[in-house]
Amino acid sequence: MNVIEINQLTKYYGKHRGIENVSFSVEEGEIFGFIGPNGAGKSTTIRALLSLIHPTSGSATIFGKDCIKYGSEIRRDIGYLPSEVFYYEHMKVREVLNYSASFYDNVDTSRIQSLAEVMDLDLNKRIDDLSYGNKKKVGIIQGLLHEPKLIILDEPTGGLDPLMQQKFFELIRTENQNGATVLFSSHILSEVQKLCGRVAIIKDGTIVRVENIRDMQKHNYKKFTLDYRGVIDVHHFNLEGVTNLTVDESTLHFLFKGDINRMVERLQGQNLMNMLVEEPSLEEIFMHYYQKEDQP
Amino acid sequence: MNVFKKEMKANIKSLIIWCCAQVFIIFAGMMKYQGFSDSQVDVNALFAAFPEEIMVVFGLGSVDITKVAGFYSVFFLYFMLLAAVHAVMFGAVEVSKEERDHCADFIYTKPVRRFQVIWPKLLAGVVNILIFNMVTFAASVFFIAQHNDGDGLIDKVSLTMLALFILQLFFLALGALFGSLLKNTKQATATASGLVMGFFILSVVVDLYDKLAFLKVFTPFKYFEGASLMINDQLSFSSAAILLIVSLIFFGLTFLAFNRRDLTT
């Protein structure tokens, strides 16, 4: 069964494009990634699902019900973590969470305590005294408190330190194992790869494709930056899998896709000052993979 | 109920400040009356020498202010102004503040319809303006009694407060409508307070130029007159009816407009 079904969803803000003909569906029990660069339309799609905004055309259903018409009913079983978390500043953490809980029937409020312990959050602090990361934790607890059947996460990891991210991912996995479906939006590919089974890729307001994460990993690009001591031998890296090779004074940049051992071999004997191997940004991947493939 | 309680709590401080200011104004105003009546000067003759424009702007139209009821009736103009600003601001801020504080995502993703959030907020507004009204009533009766041999003119003041409350409702509804129609809180409060100012200026202009008397209907400040409330014990039924009906329409439009709104983060 599909928990989310989005059908030709379009949103214009005046003349400004939000999203155009977005369609994809999320099956029950999966962790579905929603990935695209900033401003591609991820939040717009999510906000339409939550009926915070009204779509210009198209429709979406959650649990089989139209998400504008039956919004309040559907939201009983949705936990949502916005990308930017803000709460009533003059309230204490505990007050905000209790206030949040008061909107749902039969919430087990002891979960406030246990989730706060997992996330290492002080419930007696005032919201305006919290750091960005701690506010995010309030958001996470607030989103998971009522044991939702569908968890919607919009860029959830910003502001969390790596240890917290780890704990957060574990929490999400546990909720998923207990039956929750997850829609996870992000602009960081590695994050999505860690957690998700399938992904929808959005760019400039339209869905580029929906893929299995395993297929995506075949296109596992790494971004290399090499600082040379001496003269750069560009032709040395003329091998299969290397793209976007650029030279910038004594620095060489390129993307590499393929067996990493071949690259390690090739790097031997190079007179380097420094070397950086990174996850390429989504934009870079889009530019060098999707554009090429979309052309006949 | 949870939204109502939270909003009452959030507004308690500002309500106390408004009420204190109001009590002080009534106290200070009635002290002046003491000054008039002690000085033995013919105040009416004195004021008759003032240019009419000045008298109109300060609400000293044609009443005998040497009598306590007449003197107090002049307050009505100031009450209307203060209460209008209080109510219109309350309405405008209350409806739009989640978006201003970036927590619209929090409350409007809860399993509630939008009107289920808006109506307890407006109810909190009605309770707030009612408390403001009751405090005004109590302070008025108390301080009038002090200067009127213990007679607080309860009947007359009650009627005045009823008129004031109807105006407060109107301005609360007007503020809420702006809050739901305009882009953000800042625009809503600016437009609302500008309009209150405009209504006031219009009410003065109407008093000064008889030819423009037909414009009276366009300013709520001319729907009730302090003198007729305090001296003739008369509250215009048609004025009350019009203001209440318009308020109801504004409340209804607020719900409609807010329901269609695209909420921003």
Side-chain angles (χ1 to χ4, degrees):
Chain A
M1 195 195 102
N2 287 335
V3 170
I4 303 178
E5 254 186 70
I6 304 177
N7 199 354
Q8 300 288 309
L9 199 67
T10 300
K11 175 67 186 175
Y12 272 86
Y13 298 100
K15 278 184 179 170
H16 244 74
R17 167 198 57 77
I19 48 173
E20 244 172 357
N21 299 324
V22 166
S23 302
F24 64 87
S25 46
V26 179
E27 288 159 24
E28 191 175 2
E30 72 174 330
I31 303 185
F32 189 90
F34 190 29
I35 193 156
N38 290 324
K42 299 190 295 289
S43 292
T44 301
T45 309
I46 287 175
R47 295 174 71 76
L49 286 177
L50 292 161
S51 59
L52 287 167
I53 56 174
H54 301 268
T56 312
S57 64
S59 65
T61 61
I62 294 180
F63 309 125
K65 290 173 185 153
D66 185 84
C67 62
I68 300 288
K69 227 174 169 180
Y70 298 97
S72 63
E73 202 178 309
I74 290 164
R75 288 195 297 267
R76 252 181 246 158
D77 295 312
I78 298 181
Y80 167 57
L81 175 62
S83 52
E84 301 277 329
V85 280
F86 291 100
Y87 297 107
Y88 300 94
E89 302 217 316
H90 303 298
M91 289 169 98
K92 282 183 181 167
V93 175
R94 190 187 302 277
E95 287 173 332
V96 166
L97 293 173
N98 279 325
Y99 187 44
S100 178
S102 71
F103 286 93
Y104 302 92
D105 303 326
N106 313 319
V107 173
D108 177 8
T109 39
S110 67
R111 262 172 79 88
I112 294 180
Q113 199 66 44
S114 59
L115 284 168
E117 270 162 35
V118 175
M119 296 306 291
D120 191 21
L121 178 69
D122 184 355
L123 291 173
N124 294 314
K125 275 200 170 166
R126 275 164 55 115
I127 294 291
D128 34 2
D129 295 334
L130 295 182
S131 66
Y132 183 75
N134 277 329
K135 276 189 196 159
K136 203 108 206 189
K137 291 180 192 173
V138 180
I140 293 166
I141 298 176
Q142 178 269 129
L144 299 179
L145 193 56
H146 53 287
E147 298 172 85
K149 289 186 198 141
L150 170 64
I151 302 172
I152 297 180
L153 308 163
D154 193 359
E155 307 263 357
T157 52
L160 290 180
D161 58 63
L163 192 70
M164 267 311 140
Q165 285 191 18
Q166 214 49 51
K167 281 188 181 174
F168 171 66
F169 285 150
E170 274 165 35
L171 257 182
I172 296 301
R173 274 199 201 98
T174 317
E175 292 294 319
N176 178 245
Q177 277 152 18
N178 293 338
T181 308
V182 183
L183 175 64
F184 184 106
S185 125
S186 175
H187 66 278
I188 304 161
L189 191 59
S190 59
E191 200 172 85
V192 172
Q193 283 175 336
K194 248 184 252 171
L195 211 61
C196 303
R198 288 195 307 146
V199 286
I201 298 154
I202 188 167
K203 194 189 166 198
D204 297 333
T206 48
I207 298 288
V208 181
R209 66 184 61 208
V210 178
E211 261 192 296
N212 271 316
I213 210 76
R214 258 186 256 122
D215 296 336
M216 273 206 87
Q217 263 154 356
K218 280 189 226 147
H219 311 294
N220 196 354
Y221 281 88
K222 288 280 175 266
K223 181 179 165 189
F224 282 79
T225 308
L226 309 178
D227 276 340
Y228 274 82
R229 257 184 229 287
V231 188
I232 302 174
D233 178 13
V234 178
H235 299 294
H236 188 71
F237 290 98
N238 202 351
L239 79 161
E240 203 198 320
V242 170
T243 46
N244 201 29
L245 195 80
T246 54
V247 182
D248 169 22
E249 283 182 32
S250 61
T251 312
L252 188 69
H253 304 270
F254 59 84
L255 293 179
F256 175 69
K257 181 186 92 175
D259 186 355
I260 199 77
N261 293 306
R262 282 198 299 132
M263 181 52 70
V264 173
E265 277 167 29
R266 195 54 70 104
L267 282 167
Q268 250 157 30
Q270 297 288 301
N271 190 10
L272 297 178
M273 207 149 73
N274 201 357
M275 181 176 95
L276 201 60
V277 185
E278 304 167 282
E279 209 65 50
S281 74
L282 267 185
E283 276 93 342
E284 285 165 313
I285 295 180
F286 283 139
M287 248 188 284
H288 298 288
Y289 166 54
Y290 292 106
Q291 270 186 2
K292 236 187 274 170
E293 268 203 9
D294 287 341
Q295 281 158 11
Chain B
M1 213 50 199
N2 47 1
V3 177
F4 174 73
K5 266 195 227 156
K6 194 208 147 277
E7 294 306 322
M8 285 304 291
K9 221 175 147 190
N11 283 295
I12 190 94
K13 254 192 212 158
S14 101
L15 179 63
I16 290 172
I17 294 170
W18 276 95
C19 288
C20 286
Q22 182 76 330
V23 169
F24 178 77
I25 287 169
I26 298 168
F27 161 75
M30 290 313 287
M31 286 292 282
K32 286 209 183 76
Y33 176 70
Q34 190 71 43
F36 281 144
S37 52
D38 285 352
S39 65
Q40 306 287 325
V41 178
D42 186 351
V43 180
N44 284 329
L46 181 74
F47 278 173
F50 274 56
E52 196 206 345
E53 288 81 358
I54 302 265
M55 303 299 280
V56 167
V57 170
F58 287 100
L60 299 161
S62 52
V63 287
D64 178 1
I65 62 161
T66 56
K67 302 258 170 35
V68 75
F71 185 83
Y72 179 80
S73 75
V74 175
F75 285 19
F76 187 61
L77 178 69
Y78 301 95
F79 289 168
M80 285 196 295
L81 263 180
L82 265 181
V85 173
H86 174 239
V88 92
M89 287 296 188
F90 196 108
V93 171
E94 197 59 25
V95 169
S96 63
K97 71 174 177 187
E98 266 80 13
E99 286 180 87
R100 179 194 65 189
D101 300 338
H102 310 288
C103 42
D105 278 19
F106 171 81
I107 196 152
Y108 296 108
T109 55
K110 298 285 176 250
V112 283
R113 289 167 197 279
R114 289 191 187 172
F115 80 83
Q116 289 172 306
V117 177
I118 293 300
W119 91 258
K121 279 166 164 278
L122 293 176
L123 183 66
V126 172
V127 173
N128 267 263
I129 59 173
L130 188 63
I131 292 172
F132 184 71
N133 189 285
M134 296 320 279
V135 168
T136 308
F137 172 76
S140 298
V141 170
F142 179 78
F143 288 116
I144 289 174
Q146 298 228 311
H147 302 280
N148 197 31
D149 307 321
D151 180 5
L153 303 176
I154 290 185
D155 290 352
K156 290 173 189 289
V157 175
S158 303
L159 198 66
T160 308
M161 288 306 126
L162 181 61
L164 187 67
F165 184 67
I166 293 169
L167 278 166
Q168 285 175 295
L169 264 183
F170 169 81
F171 280 107
L172 180 72
L174 185 72
L177 184 59
F178 282 138
S180 66
L181 281 178
L182 296 177
K183 211 171 140 203
N184 53 40
T185 307
K186 226 173 162 183
Q187 276 189 13
T189 52
T191 313
S193 48
L195 200 59
V196 169
M197 204 58 217
F199 282 149
F200 176 68
I201 292 169
L202 187 60
S203 75
V204 172
V205 168
V206 166
D207 272 348
L208 284 177
Y209 305 103
D210 291 341
K211 276 185 192 161
L212 298 175
F214 66 97
L215 289 173
K216 261 185 182 179
V217 286
F218 295 111
T219 168
F221 292 131
K222 275 286 156 206
Y223 274 60
F224 302 112
E225 295 286 347
S228 61
L229 291 163
M230 279 307 288
I231 296 163
N232 308 327
D233 302 323
Q234 272 176 358
L235 184 144
S236 158
F237 177 77
S238 57
S239 290
I242 292 171
L243 283 174
L244 285 174
I245 290 168
V246 173
S247 306
L248 273 180
I249 293 171
F250 283 179
F251 279 132
L253 289 175
T254 301
F255 286 118
L256 282 180
F258 199 81
N259 226 6
R260 288 187 186 172
R261 206 178 160 85
D262 281 342
L263 297 171
T264 52
T265 37

